[in-house]
Amino acid sequence: MTDTVGITALIPPELVYACRHRPLDVNNVVPTSSINPRSKLCAWTAVWRDEIMEGGLDIDSLVVVAGGDCHNALVDGQKVALSGVPTHYFFYPFDRDPDYMASQLDGLAGFLGGIKNKEMFRTISGLKEKGLALDQLRVDDRARASDVFSALISFGDLQGDPAAFEEVLDTIPHTDVEYSSRVALIGVPPIYPDFHEVAESFGLHVVYDELPYEFVRLGGNDLQALAGSYRNYSFSGPITGRIEMIRQELDRRRVDGVIHYTQFACHHTLEDEIFRAHLDYPILTVQGDLPRSSSEQLKLRLEAFSEMLEVMP
């Protein structure tokens, strides 16, 4: 029997499938949700909380990434747990301790009933190779950023069906991309479902999506390899390591500017001034709250940022 396991942030989907369960990244329903949360700090966690508790998401259990990523998820996850949904709490090691990481993966595998299909590690590793190739395709201006983002953001759960998801990856169109500037999108993904299309309409080619790139760059073919890889999940550790990785990717992808998306009431918002102090690029900071289409104000700001990048030497 395959149960659906809701996940609130990145955990190794390889492990969930190897335990013969199906992961569902509850964040992926948020941008198109019509729920107006009854109480909230961050809309990302409040919307999936209410979706689960009001029956909008059909899950059998929930894994809350409670340490090293999303702080608000800890409380909203406990509210879901109190409603009767079996819930497990997963913590990343801030100090990158490999033994602690391995113990967390062991605990997760135990919650999921143990590993039953080791072949899934290799299957999903192959899919991630395809994801990395797709990411490179847009760096080479041969795929639209909006198409690539839609694919990469799904690597958290592989849309619940790795075989069907591979077919989705194989249908991403290859095309020559025309643009005026290359930009990176750092921070949590925008809560606006049309963000990438709007950026494209103003000539901004998003060649780096920080968080979705984490989804495809981390992996492993067994539990030990997963522990060695996922302990380096950048959002879960010291920001110094994250800055180093972002710098490498900005240079490799030859970006002209950076867009930092921040979510209202998210602790990651406080990182904006750090990025501005340590990244030597023009930076546009935008903030969202509830899920909805991009506002006219946001469109004006993206247009102005694009025009500024065009005239910069």
Side-chain angles (χ1 to χ4, degrees):
M1 179 178 180
T2 301
D3 286 343
T4 299
V5 181
I7 59 174
T8 69
L10 181 65
I11 62 170
E14 302 94 328
L15 182 55
V16 182
Y17 282 110
C19 293
R20 290 202 170 129
H21 294 288
R22 178 175 50 237
L24 171 64
D25 187 339
V26 296
N27 295 289
N28 288 345
V29 306
V30 172
T32 56
S33 174
S34 59
I35 277 188
N36 188 15
R38 62 182 183 277
S39 64
K40 78 170 184 67
L41 288 177
C42 166
W44 276 107
T45 65
V47 169
W48 60 246
R49 176 204 65 207
D50 283 3
E51 286 277 8
I52 296 171
M53 295 179 68
E54 294 177 12
L57 281 176
D58 186 14
I59 61 172
D60 298 287
S61 60
L62 180 68
V63 176
V64 177
V65 179
D69 189 324
C70 173
H71 293 173
N72 290 336
L74 179 57
V75 177
D76 282 325
Q78 289 179 92
K79 290 180 179 177
V80 173
L82 288 170
S83 75
V85 177
T87 301
H88 178 77
Y89 299 94
F90 185 90
F91 294 81
Y92 281 95
F94 188 76
D95 63 0
R96 307 302 202 196
D97 184 342
D99 293 334
Y100 182 85
M101 188 75 244
S103 72
Q104 287 294 303
L105 295 178
D106 279 335
L108 176 59
F111 175 72
L112 298 175
I115 295 173
K116 301 178 179 68
N117 183 4
K118 294 181 180 179
E119 184 58 31
M120 290 308 296
F121 289 117
R122 196 170 301 281
T123 298
I124 293 174
S125 180
L127 290 180
K128 288 189 172 181
E129 289 296 325
K130 283 196 171 187
L132 289 170
L134 194 58
D135 181 59
Q136 185 62 44
L137 208 59
R138 71 166 164 179
V139 174
D140 296 336
D141 307 331
R142 295 171 52 212
R144 294 177 64 219
S146 51
D147 292 332
V148 175
F149 171 77
S150 295
L152 297 190
I153 199 67
S154 295
F155 267 89
D157 60 10
L158 297 96
Q159 298 183 356
D161 185 338
F165 183 57
E166 183 169 19
E167 294 180 10
V168 172
L169 295 178
D170 291 339
T171 60
I172 300 296
H174 298 193
T175 183
D176 293 331
V177 180
E178 295 183 0
Y179 58 88
S180 57
S181 299
R182 304 166 67 86
V183 297
L185 181 58
I186 65 173
V188 298
I191 204 166
Y192 306 125
D194 61 347
F195 184 90
H196 284 73
E197 286 84 354
V198 171
E200 286 174 348
S201 72
F202 296 119
L204 297 170
H205 184 36
V206 180
V207 293
Y208 178 48
D209 285 288
E210 184 191 3
L211 191 61
Y213 181 60
E214 294 291 278
F215 291 2
V216 294
R217 83 173 182 90
L218 302 174
N221 289 329
D222 55 41
L223 211 55
Q224 184 176 4
L226 286 184
S229 175
Y230 277 82
R231 74 190 181 97
N232 292 319
Y233 175 39
S234 68
F235 268 66
S236 69
I239 198 168
T240 48
R242 195 171 153 205
I243 289 172
E244 180 181 358
M245 170 167 291
I246 290 174
R247 279 176 171 164
Q248 291 174 358
E249 293 303 321
L250 299 186
D251 182 60
R252 180 170 77 86
R253 297 166 194 256
R254 308 182 313 282
V255 308
D256 303 300
V258 174
I259 299 172
H260 183 205
Y261 176 80
T262 63
Q263 176 67 27
F264 177 74
C266 172
H267 74 280
H268 286 297
T269 297
L270 301 175
E271 295 161 347
D272 189 67
E273 62 181 313
I274 302 176
F275 288 133
R276 287 183 172 274
H278 290 84
L279 298 179
D280 189 20
Y281 290 85
I283 297 178
L284 172 69
T285 303
V286 297
Q287 185 173 79
D289 186 11
L290 292 167
R292 60 190 53 172
S293 299
S294 297
S295 66
E296 292 304 313
Q297 181 189 46
L298 174 58
K299 292 176 182 177
L300 286 172
R301 296 190 67 205
L302 289 172
E303 184 178 24
F305 188 58
S306 178
E307 291 174 352
M308 184 196 75
L309 292 178
E310 281 190 63
V311 300
M312 290 188 66

